[in-house]
Amino acid sequence: MLLKILGIAVVIWLALAVLGAVFEFLTTALVIGAVVALGVVTYSAVKHRRSIGR
């Protein structure tokens, strides 16, 4: 009985560790994506502004 409880605890611990790693990766990817998107929008706005003056 004790081994069964320990086995369940280990499985739950591993599942939480995997979920934590996935969320950490997604957070990093979200920050990188936001920075890239902001850069593209800024570049596009600057380029569009210059083409209006011509």
Side-chain angles (χ1 to χ4, degrees):
M1 183 68 176
L2 180 61
L3 287 178
K4 193 175 189 179
I5 293 172
L6 286 175
I8 291 171
V10 168
V11 167
I12 291 172
W13 176 69
L14 286 173
L16 290 175
V18 169
L19 282 175
V22 168
F23 282 126
E24 183 177 349
F25 170 75
L26 288 177
T27 302
T28 304
L30 180 67
V31 169
I32 291 171
V35 168
V36 169
L38 183 62
V40 169
V41 167
T42 304
Y43 175 75
S44 177
V46 169
K47 187 176 180 182
H48 183 67
R49 175 188 247 173
R50 287 185 182 167
S51 66
I52 290 176
R54 288 185 177 179

